[in-house]
Coordinates of all heavy atoms in Angstrom, one line a residue:
M817 N 8.7 6.8 -16.2 CA 9.0 7.2 -14.9 C 7.8 7.0 -14.0 O 6.7 7.5 -14.4 CB 9.5 8.7 -14.9 CG 9.8 9.2 -13.5 SD 10.3 10.9 -13.6 CE 11.7 10.8 -12.7
A818 N 8.0 6.4 -12.9 CA 6.9 6.2 -11.9 C 6.8 7.4 -11.0 O 7.8 8.0 -10.6 CB 7.1 4.9 -11.2
R819 N 5.5 7.7 -10.5 CA 5.4 8.7 -9.5 C 4.6 8.0 -8.4 O 3.7 7.1 -8.7 CB 4.8 9.9 -10.1 CG 3.3 10.0 -10.1 CD 2.8 11.2 -10.8 NE 1.5 10.9 -11.3 CZ 0.4 11.3 -10.7 NH1 0.4 12.1 -9.7 NH2 -0.8 11.0 -11.2
N820 N 4.8 8.5 -7.2 CA 4.1 7.9 -6.1 C 2.9 8.7 -5.6 O 3.0 10.0 -5.6 CB 5.1 7.8 -4.9 CG 6.2 6.8 -5.1 OD1 6.0 5.8 -5.8 ND2 7.4 7.1 -4.6
H821 N 1.8 8.1 -5.3 CA 0.6 8.7 -4.8 C 0.4 8.1 -3.4 O 0.1 6.9 -3.3 CB -0.6 8.5 -5.8 CG -1.9 8.9 -5.2 ND1 -2.2 10.2 -5.1 CD2 -2.9 8.2 -4.7 CE1 -3.4 10.3 -4.6 NE2 -3.9 9.1 -4.3
R822 N 0.4 9.0 -2.4 CA 0.2 8.5 -1.0 C -1.2 8.1 -0.8 O -2.1 8.8 -1.1 CB 0.7 9.6 0.0 CG 0.7 9.1 1.4 CD 1.3 10.1 2.3 NE 1.3 9.5 3.6 CZ 1.7 10.1 4.7 NH1 2.1 11.3 4.6 NH2 1.6 9.5 5.9
L823 N -1.4 6.9 -0.1 CA -2.7 6.4 0.3 C -2.9 6.7 1.7 O -2.1 6.3 2.6 CB -2.7 4.9 0.0 CG -2.4 4.4 -1.4 CD1 -2.4 2.9 -1.4 CD2 -3.3 5.0 -2.4
I824 N -4.0 7.4 2.0 CA -4.3 7.9 3.3 C -5.7 7.4 3.8 O -5.8 6.8 4.8 CB -4.2 9.4 3.4 CG1 -2.8 9.9 3.1 CG2 -4.6 9.9 4.8 CD1 -2.6 11.4 2.9
T825 N -6.7 7.7 3.0 CA -8.1 7.4 3.4 C -8.5 6.0 2.9 O -7.8 5.4 2.1 CB -9.0 8.4 2.7 OG1 -9.0 8.2 1.3 CG2 -8.6 9.8 3.1
D826 N -9.6 5.5 3.5 CA -10.1 4.2 3.1 C -10.4 4.2 1.6 O -10.3 3.2 0.9 CB -11.4 3.9 3.9 CG -11.1 3.4 5.3 OD1 -9.9 3.1 5.6 OD2 -12.0 3.3 6.1
A827 N -10.9 5.4 1.1 CA -11.2 5.5 -0.3 C -10.0 5.3 -1.2 O -10.0 4.7 -2.3 CB -11.9 6.8 -0.6
D828 N -8.9 5.9 -0.7 CA -7.6 5.7 -1.4 C -7.2 4.2 -1.5 O -6.8 3.7 -2.6 CB -6.5 6.5 -0.7 CG -6.6 8.0 -0.8 OD1 -7.3 8.5 -1.7 OD2 -6.0 8.6 0.1
F829 N -7.3 3.5 -0.4 CA -6.9 2.1 -0.4 C -7.9 1.3 -1.2 O -7.5 0.4 -1.9 CB -6.9 1.6 1.1 CG -5.7 2.0 1.9 CD1 -5.8 3.1 2.7 CD2 -4.5 1.3 1.8 CE1 -4.7 3.5 3.5 CE2 -3.4 1.7 2.5 CZ -3.5 2.8 3.3
Q830 N -9.2 1.6 -1.2 CA -10.2 0.9 -1.9 C -9.9 1.0 -3.4 O -10.0 0.1 -4.2 CB -11.6 1.3 -1.6 CG -12.7 0.6 -2.3 CD -12.8 -0.9 -1.8 OE1 -12.6 -1.2 -0.7 NE2 -13.0 -1.7 -2.8
E831 N -9.6 2.3 -3.9 CA -9.4 2.5 -5.3 C -8.1 1.8 -5.7 O -8.1 1.2 -6.8 CB -9.2 4.0 -5.5 CG -9.1 4.5 -6.9 CD -9.0 6.0 -7.0 OE1 -9.8 6.7 -6.3 OE2 -8.2 6.4 -7.8
A832 N -7.1 1.8 -5.0 CA -5.8 1.1 -5.3 C -6.0 -0.4 -5.4 O -5.5 -1.1 -6.2 CB -4.7 1.5 -4.3
M833 N -6.9 -0.9 -4.4 CA -7.1 -2.3 -4.4 C -7.9 -2.7 -5.7 O -7.6 -3.8 -6.3 CB -7.9 -2.7 -3.2 CG -8.1 -4.2 -3.0 SD -8.8 -4.6 -1.4 CE -10.5 -4.0 -1.5
E834 N -8.9 -2.0 -6.0 CA -9.8 -2.3 -7.2 C -9.0 -2.2 -8.5 O -9.2 -3.0 -9.4 CB -10.9 -1.3 -7.3 CG -12.0 -1.6 -6.2 CD -13.1 -0.5 -6.2 OE1 -13.0 0.5 -6.9 OE2 -14.0 -0.7 -5.3
R835 N -8.0 -1.3 -8.6 CA -7.2 -1.2 -9.8 C -6.0 -2.2 -9.8 O -5.3 -2.3 -10.8 CB -6.6 0.2 -9.9 CG -7.5 1.2 -10.5 CD -6.8 2.4 -11.0 NE -5.9 2.9 -10.0 CZ -6.0 4.1 -9.4 NH1 -7.0 4.9 -9.7 NH2 -5.2 4.5 -8.5
E836 N -5.8 -2.9 -8.7 CA -4.7 -3.8 -8.5 C -3.4 -3.1 -8.7 O -2.5 -3.5 -9.4 CB -4.8 -5.0 -9.4 CG -6.0 -5.9 -9.0 CD -6.1 -7.2 -9.8 OE1 -5.3 -7.3 -10.8 OE2 -6.9 -8.0 -9.4
A837 N -3.3 -1.9 -8.2 CA -2.1 -1.0 -8.3 C -0.9 -1.5 -7.5 O -1.1 -2.1 -6.5 CB -2.5 0.4 -7.9
S838 N 0.2 -1.3 -8.1 CA 1.5 -1.7 -7.4 C 1.7 -0.7 -6.2 O 1.6 0.5 -6.4 CB 2.6 -1.6 -8.4 OG 3.8 -2.1 -7.8
I839 N 2.0 -1.3 -5.0 CA 2.1 -0.5 -3.8 C 3.6 -0.6 -3.3 O 4.2 -1.6 -3.3 CB 1.2 -1.1 -2.7 CG1 -0.3 -1.1 -3.2 CG2 1.3 -0.3 -1.4 CD1 -0.8 0.2 -3.5
R840 N 4.0 0.5 -2.7 CA 5.3 0.6 -2.1 C 5.0 1.0 -0.6 O 4.2 1.9 -0.3 CB 6.2 1.7 -2.7 CG 7.6 1.8 -2.1 CD 8.5 2.6 -2.9 NE 8.8 1.9 -4.1 CZ 9.2 2.5 -5.3 NH1 9.3 3.8 -5.3 NH2 9.5 1.7 -6.3
V841 N 5.7 0.3 0.3 CA 5.4 0.5 1.8 C 6.7 1.0 2.4 O 7.8 0.4 2.2 CB 4.9 -0.8 2.4 CG1 4.6 -0.5 3.9 CG2 3.7 -1.4 1.7
F842 N 6.6 2.1 3.2 CA 7.7 2.6 4.0 C 7.4 2.5 5.5 O 6.3 2.7 5.9 CB 7.9 4.1 3.7 CG 8.4 4.4 2.3 CD1 7.6 4.4 1.2 CD2 9.8 4.5 2.1 CE1 8.1 4.7 0.0 CE2 10.3 4.8 0.9 CZ 9.5 4.9 -0.2
Q843 N 8.4 2.1 6.3 CA 8.3 2.1 7.7 C 9.6 2.7 8.3 O 10.7 2.2 7.9 CB 8.1 0.7 8.3 CG 7.8 0.7 9.7 CD 7.4 -0.7 10.2 OE1 7.2 -1.6 9.5 NE2 7.3 -0.8 11.5
D844 N 9.5 3.7 9.1 CA 10.7 4.4 9.7 C 11.6 4.9 8.5 O 12.9 4.7 8.6 CB 11.4 3.5 10.6 CG 10.6 3.1 11.8 OD1 9.8 3.9 12.3 OD2 10.7 1.9 12.3
D845 N 11.1 5.4 7.5 CA 11.8 6.0 6.4 C 12.6 4.9 5.6 O 13.6 5.3 4.9 CB 12.7 7.1 6.8 CG 12.0 8.3 7.3 OD1 10.9 8.6 6.8 OD2 12.5 9.0 8.3
H846 N 12.2 3.7 5.7 CA 12.8 2.6 4.9 C 11.8 1.9 4.1 O 10.7 1.7 4.6 CB 13.6 1.6 5.8 CG 14.7 2.2 6.6 ND1 15.8 2.7 6.0 CD2 14.8 2.4 7.9 CE1 16.6 3.2 6.9 NE2 16.0 3.0 8.1
V847 N 12.1 1.5 2.9 CA 11.2 0.7 2.1 C 11.2 -0.7 2.7 O 12.2 -1.4 2.8 CB 11.7 0.6 0.6 CG1 10.8 -0.3 -0.2 CG2 11.7 1.9 0.0
V848 N 10.0 -1.2 3.1 CA 9.8 -2.5 3.6 C 9.0 -3.4 2.7 O 8.8 -4.6 3.0 CB 9.1 -2.5 5.0 CG1 10.1 -1.8 6.0 CG2 7.8 -1.8 5.0
G849 N 8.5 -2.9 1.6 CA 7.7 -3.6 0.7 C 7.5 -2.9 -0.6 O 7.4 -1.6 -0.6
S850 N 7.6 -3.6 -1.7 CA 7.5 -2.9 -3.0 C 7.0 -3.9 -4.1 O 7.4 -5.0 -4.2 CB 8.8 -2.3 -3.5 OG 8.6 -1.6 -4.6
G851 N 6.0 -3.4 -4.9 CA 5.5 -4.2 -6.0 C 4.3 -5.1 -5.8 O 3.8 -5.6 -6.7
G852 N 3.8 -5.2 -4.6 CA 2.7 -6.0 -4.3 C 1.4 -5.3 -4.5 O 1.4 -4.1 -4.8
I853 N 0.3 -6.0 -4.4 CA -1.0 -5.3 -4.5 C -1.8 -5.5 -3.2 O -1.6 -6.5 -2.5 CB -1.9 -5.9 -5.7 CG1 -2.1 -7.4 -5.5 CG2 -1.2 -5.6 -7.0 CD1 -3.1 -8.0 -6.5
I854 N -2.7 -4.6 -2.9 CA -3.5 -4.7 -1.7 C -4.6 -5.8 -1.9 O -5.3 -5.8 -2.9 CB -4.2 -3.4 -1.4 CG1 -3.1 -2.3 -1.1 CG2 -5.1 -3.5 -0.2 CD1 -3.7 -0.9 -1.0
T855 N -4.7 -6.7 -1.0 CA -5.7 -7.8 -1.1 C -6.9 -7.5 -0.1 O -8.0 -7.9 -0.4 CB -5.2 -9.2 -0.8 OG1 -4.5 -9.2 0.4 CG2 -4.2 -9.6 -1.9
R856 N -6.5 -6.8 1.0 CA -7.6 -6.3 1.9 C -7.0 -5.4 2.9 O -5.8 -5.3 3.0 CB -8.3 -7.5 2.6 CG -7.5 -8.3 3.6 CD -8.3 -9.4 4.2 NE -7.6 -10.1 5.2 CZ -6.9 -11.2 5.0 NH1 -6.9 -11.8 3.8 NH2 -6.2 -11.8 6.0
F857 N -7.9 -4.6 3.6 CA -7.4 -3.7 4.5 C -8.5 -3.4 5.5 O -9.7 -3.7 5.2 CB -7.0 -2.3 3.9 CG -8.1 -1.6 3.2 CD1 -8.8 -0.6 3.9 CD2 -8.5 -1.9 1.9 CE1 -9.8 0.1 3.3 CE2 -9.5 -1.2 1.3 CZ -10.2 -0.2 2.0
D858 N -8.2 -2.9 6.7 CA -9.2 -2.4 7.7 C -8.5 -1.2 8.4 O -7.5 -0.7 7.9 CB -9.6 -3.5 8.6 CG -8.5 -4.1 9.5 OD1 -7.4 -3.4 9.6 OD2 -8.6 -5.2 9.9
N859 N -9.1 -0.8 9.5 CA -8.6 0.4 10.2 C -7.2 0.2 10.7 O -6.5 1.2 11.0 CB -9.5 0.8 11.3 CG -10.8 1.4 10.7 OD1 -10.9 1.9 9.6 ND2 -11.9 1.3 11.5
D860 N -6.8 -1.0 11.0 CA -5.5 -1.3 11.6 C -4.4 -1.9 10.7 O -3.3 -1.6 10.9 CB -5.7 -2.3 12.8 CG -6.7 -1.8 13.8 OD1 -6.6 -0.6 14.2 OD2 -7.5 -2.5 14.3
T861 N -4.8 -2.7 9.7 CA -3.9 -3.5 8.9 C -4.2 -3.4 7.4 O -5.3 -3.3 7.0 CB -4.0 -5.0 9.3 OG1 -3.9 -5.0 10.8 CG2 -3.0 -5.8 8.7
V862 N -3.1 -3.4 6.7 CA -3.2 -3.5 5.2 C -2.4 -4.8 4.8 O -1.3 -5.0 5.2 CB -2.5 -2.3 4.5 CG1 -2.6 -2.5 3.0 CG2 -3.2 -1.0 4.9
V863 N -3.1 -5.6 4.0 CA -2.5 -6.9 3.6 C -2.1 -6.7 2.1 O -2.9 -6.4 1.3 CB -3.5 -8.1 3.7 CG1 -2.9 -9.4 3.3 CG2 -4.0 -8.2 5.1
I864 N -0.8 -7.0 1.9 CA -0.3 -6.8 0.5 C 0.3 -8.2 0.1 O 1.1 -8.8 0.8 CB 0.8 -5.7 0.5 CG1 0.1 -4.4 0.9 CG2 1.5 -5.7 -0.9 CD1 1.0 -3.2 0.9
Q865 N -0.1 -8.6 -1.2 CA 0.4 -9.8 -1.7 C 1.3 -9.5 -2.9 O 1.0 -8.8 -3.8 CB -0.8 -10.7 -2.2 CG -0.3 -12.0 -2.7 CD -1.5 -12.9 -3.0 OE1 -2.6 -12.6 -2.9 NE2 -1.2 -14.2 -3.3
S866 N 2.6 -10.1 -2.8 CA 3.5 -9.8 -3.9 C 3.7 -11.1 -4.8 O 4.2 -11.0 -5.9 CB 4.9 -9.5 -3.3 OG 4.8 -8.3 -2.5
G867 N 3.3 -12.2 -4.3 CA 3.4 -13.4 -5.1 C 2.4 -14.4 -4.5 O 1.6 -14.1 -3.6
V868 N 2.4 -15.7 -5.1 CA 1.5 -16.7 -4.7 C 1.5 -16.9 -3.2 O 0.5 -17.0 -2.5 CB 1.7 -18.0 -5.5 CG1 0.8 -19.1 -4.9 CG2 1.5 -17.8 -6.9
S869 N 2.7 -17.1 -2.6 CA 2.8 -17.3 -1.2 C 3.5 -16.2 -0.4 O 3.9 -16.4 0.7 CB 3.5 -18.7 -1.0 OG 4.9 -18.5 -1.5
D870 N 3.6 -15.1 -1.0 CA 4.3 -13.9 -0.4 C 3.2 -12.9 0.0 O 2.8 -12.0 -0.8 CB 5.3 -13.3 -1.3 CG 6.1 -12.2 -0.7 OD1 6.1 -12.1 0.6 OD2 6.8 -11.5 -1.4
V871 N 2.8 -13.0 1.3 CA 1.7 -12.1 1.8 C 2.3 -11.4 3.0 O 3.0 -12.0 3.9 CB 0.5 -12.9 2.2 CG1 -0.5 -12.0 2.9 CG2 -0.1 -13.6 1.1
A872 N 2.2 -10.0 3.0 CA 2.7 -9.2 4.1 C 1.6 -8.4 4.8 O 0.7 -7.9 4.1 CB 3.8 -8.3 3.6
Y873 N 1.6 -8.3 6.1 CA 0.7 -7.6 6.9 C 1.4 -6.4 7.5 O 2.4 -6.5 8.2 CB 0.1 -8.5 8.1 CG -0.6 -9.7 7.6 CD1 0.0 -10.8 7.2 CD2 -2.0 -9.6 7.5 CE1 -0.7 -11.9 6.7 CE2 -2.7 -10.7 7.1 CZ -2.1 -11.9 6.7 OH -2.8 -13.0 6.2
H874 N 0.8 -5.2 7.2 CA 1.4 -3.9 7.6 C 0.5 -3.1 8.5 O -0.7 -3.0 8.1 CB 1.9 -3.1 6.4 CG 2.8 -3.7 5.5 ND1 4.2 -3.9 5.8 CD2 2.7 -4.3 4.3 CE1 4.8 -4.5 4.9 NE2 3.9 -4.8 3.9
R875 N 0.9 -2.6 9.6 CA 0.1 -1.8 10.4 C -0.1 -0.4 9.8 O 0.9 0.2 9.4 CB 0.6 -1.7 11.8 CG 0.5 -3.0 12.5 CD 0.8 -3.0 14.0 NE 0.3 -1.8 14.7 CZ 0.7 -1.4 15.9 NH1 1.5 -2.1 16.5 NH2 0.2 -0.3 16.4
R876 N -1.3 0.1 9.7 CA -1.5 1.4 9.1 C -0.9 2.5 9.9 O -0.5 3.5 9.3 CB -3.0 1.6 8.9 CG -3.6 1.1 7.6 CD -5.0 1.3 7.5 NE -5.4 2.6 7.0 CZ -6.6 2.8 6.5 NH1 -7.6 1.9 6.5 NH2 -6.9 4.0 6.1
D877 N -0.9 2.4 11.2 CA -0.4 3.5 12.0 C 1.1 3.6 12.0 O 1.7 4.6 12.4 CB -0.9 3.4 13.4 CG -0.5 2.2 14.2 OD1 -0.2 1.2 13.5 OD2 -0.6 2.2 15.4
L878 N 1.8 2.6 11.6 CA 3.3 2.5 11.6 C 3.9 2.7 10.2 O 5.1 2.9 10.1 CB 3.8 1.2 12.2 CG 3.4 1.0 13.7 CD1 4.0 -0.4 14.1 CD2 3.9 2.1 14.6
C879 N 3.1 2.6 9.2 CA 3.7 2.6 7.8 C 3.0 3.7 7.0 O 2.0 4.2 7.3 CB 3.4 1.2 7.1 SG 4.2 -0.2 8.0
E880 N 3.7 4.0 5.9 CA 3.2 4.9 4.9 C 3.1 4.0 3.6 O 3.9 3.2 3.3 CB 4.2 6.0 4.6 CG 4.3 7.0 5.8 CD 5.3 8.1 5.5 OE1 6.5 7.8 5.4 OE2 4.8 9.2 5.2
F881 N 2.0 4.2 2.9 CA 1.6 3.5 1.7 C 1.6 4.4 0.5 O 0.9 5.4 0.6 CB 0.3 2.7 1.9 CG 0.3 1.8 3.1 CD1 0.0 2.3 4.3 CD2 0.7 0.5 3.0 CE1 0.0 1.4 5.4 CE2 0.7 -0.4 4.1 CZ 0.4 0.1 5.3
F882 N 2.2 3.9 -0.6 CA 2.2 4.7 -1.8 C 1.8 3.8 -3.0 O 2.3 2.7 -3.1 CB 3.5 5.4 -2.1 CG 3.9 6.4 -1.1 CD1 4.6 6.0 0.1 CD2 3.7 7.7 -1.3 CE1 4.9 7.0 1.0 CE2 4.0 8.7 -0.4 CZ 4.6 8.3 0.8
E883 N 0.9 4.4 -3.8 CA 0.6 3.7 -5.1 C 1.6 4.2 -6.1 O 1.8 5.4 -6.2 CB -0.8 4.1 -5.5 CG -1.2 3.5 -6.8 CD -2.6 4.0 -7.3 OE1 -3.3 4.6 -6.5 OE2 -2.9 3.8 -8.5
M884 N 2.2 3.2 -6.8 CA 3.2 3.6 -7.8 C 2.4 3.7 -9.2 O 1.9 2.8 -9.7 CB 4.3 2.6 -7.9 CG 5.1 2.5 -6.6 SD 6.5 1.4 -6.7 CE 5.8 -0.2 -7.0
R885 N 2.4 5.0 -9.6 CA 1.7 5.2 -10.9 C 2.7 5.5 -12.0 O 3.7 6.2 -11.7 CB 0.7 6.4 -10.8 CG -0.4 6.1 -9.8 CD -1.4 7.3 -9.8 NE -2.5 7.1 -9.0 CZ -3.4 8.0 -8.7 NH1 -3.3 9.2 -9.1 NH2 -4.4 7.7 -7.9
K886 N 2.4 5.0 -13.2 CA 3.3 5.4 -14.3 C 2.9 6.7 -14.8 O 1.7 7.0 -15.0 CB 3.2 4.3 -15.4 CG 3.6 3.0 -14.9 CD 4.2 2.1 -15.9 CE 4.6 0.9 -15.2 NZ 5.4 0.1 -15.9
K887 N 3.8 7.5 -15.1 CA 3.6 8.9 -15.6 C 3.4 8.9 -17.1 O 3.8 8.2 -17.8 CB 4.8 9.8 -15.2 CG 4.5 11.2 -15.4 CD 5.6 12.0 -14.8 CE 5.2 13.5 -14.9 NZ 6.2 14.3 -14.5

């Protein structure tokens, strides 16, 4: 069973990126991305890659990010 850990701070994002953790993204209470890894981030944007050519850019102020951890 997976549990979600919310990413809020830069340290949270950095740790998830280093571990190549699977990320789930919500916007307006809907899942808009799931299963990708963070490739980079800044104060405004988080870049998540799900496949070789599948790259998504999400605004930090509009989305919620969760690391999916296995229990």
Side-chain angles (χ1 to χ4, degrees):
M817 175 182 232
R819 86 183 157 105
N820 294 326
H821 172 74
R822 187 171 182 184
L823 305 177
I824 299 171
T825 66
D826 284 349
D828 292 339
F829 284 98
Q830 183 66 39
E831 187 177 314
M833 186 171 71
E834 289 171 359
R835 278 200 310 247
E836 296 184 351
S838 185
I839 303 297
R840 184 171 287 158
V841 183
F842 289 84
Q843 184 173 356
D844 298 325
D845 295 326
H846 298 295
V847 176
V848 295
S850 183
I853 61 169
I854 298 172
T855 57
R856 66 179 185 265
F857 66 93
D858 60 23
N859 290 335
D860 300 317
T861 307
V862 177
V863 181
I864 297 180
Q865 184 171 7
S866 299
V868 173
S869 63
D870 188 12
V871 178
Y873 297 81
H874 301 283
R875 289 193 37 196
R876 273 178 85 166
D877 60 342
L878 298 179
C879 298
E880 293 178 288
F881 301 89
F882 294 86
E883 176 184 349
M884 297 185 299
R885 294 183 177 173
K886 298 212 179 195
K887 193 171 183 182

